[in-house]
Amino acid sequence: MHKEKVQQFIAITGASEKVALQTLKNSEWHLEGAFDIFYSQPQIRTATDSRNLEELYNRYKGKLFHYYPYADMIMADGISLLCNDLQVDPADIVMLVVSWHMKAATMCEFSKQEFVSGLQSLGVDSMDKFRERIQFMRNELKDEQKFREIYNFAFGWAKEKGQKSLALDTAIGMWQLLFAEKQWPLVDHWCQFLQARHNKAISRDTWSQLLEFARNVDPTLANYDAEGAWPYLIDEFVEYSVENAVIQKTS
């Protein structure tokens, strides 16, 4: 059993057997806990090669200097190439997790600092190692605290530069992506309600509070408290759902 976990740990992290054994022992042989230790403590990871990181960055950064105002960045075409190399669909939620690790300021853009620092934090300095980390990043979505961080990160990442709110179509797309992962049964009803009744940009408060609503209020709305401090839009959603018999609210 322990041997299998060591092999899994090495396959995902690229760590040496010695590091794998020590980290698994420190986590009492819990694989997910060992991953957390490995990625949260840079000193135990194998050092990344800065030359390799530079080569990776140069492969993806914008080349058309006359067309890009910020050519020394990885833009949409570079990210498309990156996804191709990672064998990941650009619309895959794992690319949001990648952007979270890179602390990317804007969707479809990575500055050199974001890209290099993000890969260093993951212990990645080659495409093979990057591909090996993909499953680990998928697993991070199953961690409640990390999911909350990724969810809250997504608001600033997806909104247009200079805007305080998130465009409705973008917000709907992000909710469908994120809540499909967390399997919130009301996500489609919520999106339909917004298109029918709201049709305006989404504030950060509504964005963050919806996660709390999805986590804490039963899909039947049985424990919904109308006197609670929910944003008005969530209160309206509950009224809309009951009025349109989308949900039979129990008293």
Side-chain angles (χ1 to χ4, degrees):
M1 184 68 173
H2 286 177
K3 186 177 180 181
E4 288 179 9
K5 288 186 176 181
V6 169
Q7 290 173 341
Q8 282 182 271
F9 188 89
I10 292 171
I12 295 294
T13 65
S16 67
E17 184 173 352
K18 181 180 178 181
V19 169
L21 279 166
Q22 188 58 53
T23 311
L24 281 161
K25 285 178 183 176
N26 289 344
S27 70
E28 297 180 346
W29 295 95
H30 295 298
L31 203 52
E32 289 301 318
F35 287 140
D36 285 341
I37 291 170
F38 183 80
Y39 288 114
S40 65
Q41 298 183 23
Q43 67 272 19
I44 70 169
R45 294 202 301 267
T46 53
T48 54
D49 188 320
S50 59
R51 290 169 301 177
N52 289 353
L53 290 171
E54 187 80 22
E55 286 177 12
L56 277 175
Y57 175 73
N58 287 335
R59 172 168 172 76
Y60 303 114
K61 76 172 184 178
K63 302 294 194 299
L64 304 178
F65 290 87
H66 294 295
Y67 296 90
Y68 290 121
Y70 307 103
D72 195 24
M73 294 184 74
I74 297 174
M75 309 296 282
D77 60 340
I79 290 175
S80 179
L81 177 60
L82 173 62
C83 290
N84 187 61
D85 288 349
L86 288 171
Q87 300 168 2
V88 167
D89 189 299
D92 192 314
I93 192 171
V94 79
M95 291 308 297
L96 170 59
V97 186
V98 169
S99 296
W100 172 65
H101 275 286
M102 294 185 179
K103 298 180 172 63
T106 305
M107 187 189 295
C108 295
E109 289 182 12
F110 294 133
S111 69
K112 184 174 183 178
Q113 182 178 352
E114 289 169 349
F115 186 77
V116 171
S117 297
L119 292 190
Q120 286 176 328
S121 75
L122 284 165
V124 166
D125 59 7
S126 70
M127 186 47 59
D128 285 342
K129 286 184 181 179
F130 206 162
R131 278 193 287 265
E132 287 170 359
R133 297 294 186 273
I134 293 296
Q135 188 55 53
F136 170 78
M137 287 187 275
R138 289 194 193 284
N139 289 339
E140 288 186 295
L141 291 161
K142 299 173 185 175
D143 180 285
E144 286 295 319
Q145 182 54 40
K146 287 183 180 178
F147 182 85
R148 180 193 294 273
E149 291 177 19
I150 293 164
Y151 177 92
N152 286 326
F153 162 82
F155 181 89
W157 176 76
K159 70 180 178 64
E160 292 184 20
K161 291 178 181 178
Q163 297 297 311
K164 291 184 178 180
S165 299
L166 186 58
L168 181 62
D169 287 348
T170 304
I172 286 173
M174 293 304 300
W175 273 319
Q176 289 172 333
L177 185 70
L178 285 155
F179 282 129
E181 184 68 28
K182 299 305 288 184
Q183 299 179 333
W184 183 42
L186 302 182
V187 62
D188 288 339
H189 297 311
W190 168 252
C191 293
Q192 289 161 10
F193 155 73
L194 291 174
Q195 290 170 321
R197 290 286 186 89
H198 186 59
N199 203 29
K200 294 178 183 176
I202 300 298
S203 70
R204 185 180 290 274
D205 181 55
T206 297
W207 178 268
S208 61
Q209 287 298 308
L210 189 72
L211 178 59
E212 303 310 314
F213 180 82
R215 276 182 165 172
N216 298 312
V217 176
D218 187 272
T220 65
L221 305 179
N223 63 337
Y224 173 74
D225 180 6
E227 301 301 318
W230 297 110
Y232 82 94
L233 202 55
I234 291 178
D235 289 330
E236 284 190 7
F237 168 65
V238 173
E239 292 176 14
Y240 173 86
S241 299
V242 174
E243 287 170 6
N244 290 274
V246 172
I247 298 162
Q248 298 295 330
K249 185 176 184 301
T250 56
S251 56

